[in-house]
Amino acid sequence: PKEVYFNPCNMFVAGFIGEPPMNFITRRVEKGCITIGGAKLDLSKKLGDRIGEYEDQEIVFGFRPEAIVLGEAENAYAIKGTVELTEMLGDNVNVYIDVDENKAILKVTPHEIPPLDCEIVFSVPVGDVYLFDAETEKVINVK
């Protein structure tokens, strides 16, 4: 289970294991970057020169809800979203957000609950990002 959770081979496996499931946002690669939540994310940080193979193609940016940090963080992709709903679950809170009309779930502590309808910035550490080929749904790894 640990191998499947941390190294999924495709989107089905990545979305199947974990609660809540992995977030997926599909974007077109332009000059080695994708734009999410108004931020231009340089994917060479994750894939190096391999990102060039996906120029002008759609890829899927995946991240687990618990992998995020509220606010901006070093060596991470900072993304803006709007809080739509919070779900208190005891020791953690699921925060449902809208990112450019895509839905995502963030997992935070009860001490970090953002207000409803506000814009927040969250960061996904580069090492916790999963990239998938939108056509095949297979994970893209550094060669």
Side-chain angles (χ1 to χ4, degrees):
K2 183 178 178 182
E3 179 68 22
V4 172
Y5 181 80
F6 287 108
N7 297 301
C9 60
N10 59 41
M11 288 177 60
F12 174 78
V13 172
F16 183 77
I17 191 167
E19 182 56 40
M22 185 179 283
N23 295 294
F24 299 115
I25 300 175
T26 303
R27 291 290 186 271
R28 181 168 302 282
V29 177
E30 297 175 1
K31 298 181 182 175
C33 298
I34 58 173
T35 302
I36 300 176
K40 193 175 234 182
L41 310 181
D42 179 1
L43 297 182
S44 68
K45 290 181 183 179
K46 178 73 179 174
L47 290 179
D49 293 337
R50 179 136 198 242
I51 193 59
E53 296 174 31
Y54 292 89
E55 190 65 29
D56 294 322
Q57 295 181 43
E58 287 193 334
I59 63 156
V60 180
F61 183 92
F63 62 95
R64 296 209 179 272
E66 64 276 9
I68 66 99
V69 176
L70 289 179
E72 293 190 28
E74 285 190 43
N75 201 29
Y77 295 112
I79 301 169
K80 289 181 186 175
T82 302
V83 177
E84 294 188 331
L85 175 73
T86 59
E87 179 182 32
M88 180 72 165
L89 299 171
D91 64 339
N92 66 66
V93 177
N94 288 341
V95 178
Y96 296 81
I97 63 167
D98 178 76
V99 180
D100 301 333
E101 299 180 12
N102 288 270
K103 305 303 178 198
I105 303 172
L106 313 179
K107 191 181 273 192
V108 301
T109 72
H111 306 289
E112 299 176 300
I113 303 172
L116 293 176
D117 299 321
C118 80
E119 185 175 89
I120 62 168
V121 174
F122 65 96
S123 296
V124 184
V126 172
D128 291 326
V129 168
Y130 297 85
L131 299 174
F132 301 91
D133 183 304
E135 188 175 323
T136 67
E137 296 190 352
K138 291 183 180 179
V139 71
I140 303 169
N141 290 313
V142 178
K143 288 183 179 178

